Amino acid sequence: MNSPDISLIIPVFNEAQNLRPLAARIAPALDACDVSYEAIFVDDGSGDGSLDILRDLCAEEPRFRALSLSRNF
């Protein structure tokens, strides 16, 4: 796999209700730029189910990645 032109880093802490709307906006916005990209969501120890949603989003969109920190840093 080639390196993407853009790596978008998104910090996440208890954002379960906002993740799907955000993800729905990322792909169209960056697709319009005609560049390769990845979106890396960094879960900072969320306790509201954010990580489960991120895992679902990553399964649906191969350009999305999720990293999970063991606790809130």
Side-chain angles (χ1 to χ4, degrees), residues 31-42:
D31 286 342
C33 295
D34 196 31
V35 295
S36 62
Y37 70 90
E38 64 182 348
I40 303 170
F41 296 84
V42 181

Side-chain angles (χ1 to χ4, degrees), residues 8-30:
L8 181 64
I9 310 298
I10 305 157
V12 175
F13 181 69
N14 293 334
E15 295 291 341
Q17 68 185 26
N18 299 315
L19 290 172
R20 288 199 178 277
L22 175 62
R25 290 176 174 229
I26 290 172
L30 290 176

